[in-house]
Amino acid sequence: MSLFITFEGGEGSGKSTQAKALYRRLLSIGISCVLTHEPGGTPLGNRLRRLLRGEGEIDPQTELFLFAASRAQLVREVIRPSLERGALVISDRFFHSTIAYQGYGRGLDLTIIEELNRIATEGLCPDLVVLLDIPVEEGLARKRLRDRFEKEELAFHQRVREGYLEMAGSDPKRWLVVDAALPRQQVTRLIWERVTNLLSERGLTPGAAL
Ligand SMILES: Nc1ncnc2c1ncn2[C@@H]1O[C@H](COP(=O)(O)OP(=O)(O)O)[C@@H](O)[C@H]1O
Ligand SMILES: [Mg+2]
């Protein structure tokens, strides 16, 4: 068995909360499981994450390469080896973030982004992408970021949200869109439903139902 699940969505949509909840739940029923995140997830990736969050302007093209570099390292050092030994891998963000943020958000060429993603991931694609969808201002407010964002930046996050919804709409078998404004237990339950279906499709019977 190898199953790869990613969490996507805007700031404050609950990705880290839900990724951790799913990880714990799977461990509790005895499924070998790895939780990682982007950017970062490796020693080099964490250095790249600090660069991306550091002081000073980063050119959008440079930013694109730094995310790709972090992803290339994460795939080779963590994700592939874990899948190969049969673990289920959960990643808090993966390459769809780059399509949403750098592509739809910043307007960089989508065909170039897709090519770069393909190189960074060696063609690896998640079996399930959980999209936590929430109105932009609600998500930012959860992280107390709302007041710091100008109108222009809100429009950027709006394009990111629409980009995600478009990707999900064009591949509904792979994507689960969850209303992330719901109470967190309810979000957890909706995700768990889909994951248990996926596990039984792969011949794995999870433990007790929620
Ligand atoms: N369903 C929810 N309803 C209300 N608050 C939530 C919900 N899910 C997460 N939160 C809170 O919102 C904040 C952002 O959640 P987080 O998981 O860090 O989001 P992300 O990783 O997507 O940025 C945290 O303070 C978290 O406790
Ligand atoms: Mg997070």
Side-chain angles (χ1 to χ4, degrees):
M1 201 268 307
S2 82
L3 210 53
F4 181 29
I5 300 173
T6 60
F7 282 79
E8 295 285 355
E11 307 301 321
S13 58
K15 298 177 298 298
S16 302
T17 305
Q18 295 298 335
K20 202 180 293 167
L22 178 62
Y23 172 69
R24 291 203 177 128
R25 179 97 203 205
L26 287 164
L27 282 185
S28 78
I29 60 169
I31 289 181
S32 165
C33 193
V34 171
L35 174 62
T36 189
H37 62 86
E38 272 205 2
T42 63
L44 176 62
N46 288 330
R47 270 147 64 202
L48 292 168
R49 184 187 184 93
R50 282 198 292 277
L51 287 177
L52 281 159
R53 294 195 167 171
E55 301 271 297
E57 285 272 300
I58 298 181
D59 178 83
Q61 205 66 52
T62 312
E63 183 188 55
L64 178 68
F65 288 135
L66 289 176
F67 279 117
S70 171
R71 183 166 305 138
Q73 190 68 24
L74 184 66
V75 166
R76 288 156 182 80
E77 195 174 320
V78 176
I79 300 177
R80 277 248 186 248
S82 303
L83 291 172
E84 274 161 19
R85 67 177 168 76
L88 187 154
V89 178
I90 300 170
S91 188
D92 180 351
R93 293 197 182 282
F94 196 50
F95 73 78
H96 294 103
S97 285
T98 301
I99 301 176
Y101 282 78
Q102 277 67 48
Y104 287 88
R106 299 214 194 287
L108 298 186
D109 188 320
L110 284 173
T111 55
I112 292 175
I113 290 176
E114 270 157 26
E115 182 63 12
L116 198 56
N117 275 340
R118 214 179 43 75
I119 295 167
T121 61
E122 303 177 298
L124 180 69
C125 191
D127 300 286
L128 172 64
V129 186
V130 178
L131 173 58
L132 297 171
D133 181 56
I134 191 165
V136 166
E137 291 188 273
E138 205 171 320
L140 294 175
R142 280 186 184 170
K143 292 205 149 176
R144 299 195 182 82
L145 290 171
R146 182 163 54 180
D147 298 339
R148 280 179 30 207
F149 278 77
E150 306 289 334
K151 268 219 171 70
E152 198 183 321
E153 286 173 281
L154 288 176
F156 166 79
H157 287 281
Q158 194 58 45
R159 291 195 296 279
V160 170
R161 184 185 183 199
E162 280 155 16
Y164 272 132
L165 289 170
E166 203 172 307
M167 286 188 268
S170 70
D171 194 2
K173 279 202 173 131
R174 196 186 302 276
W175 289 68
L176 171 69
V177 184
V178 182
D179 177 359
L182 292 169
R184 81 186 66 185
Q185 308 290 350
Q186 216 167 316
V187 175
T188 306
R189 200 171 310 131
L190 290 167
I191 296 167
W192 184 244
E193 254 173 48
R194 177 71 169 252
V195 171
T196 49
N197 283 343
L198 200 55
L199 289 173
S200 50
E201 269 172 34
R202 305 285 171 109
L204 265 166
T205 323
L210 266 186

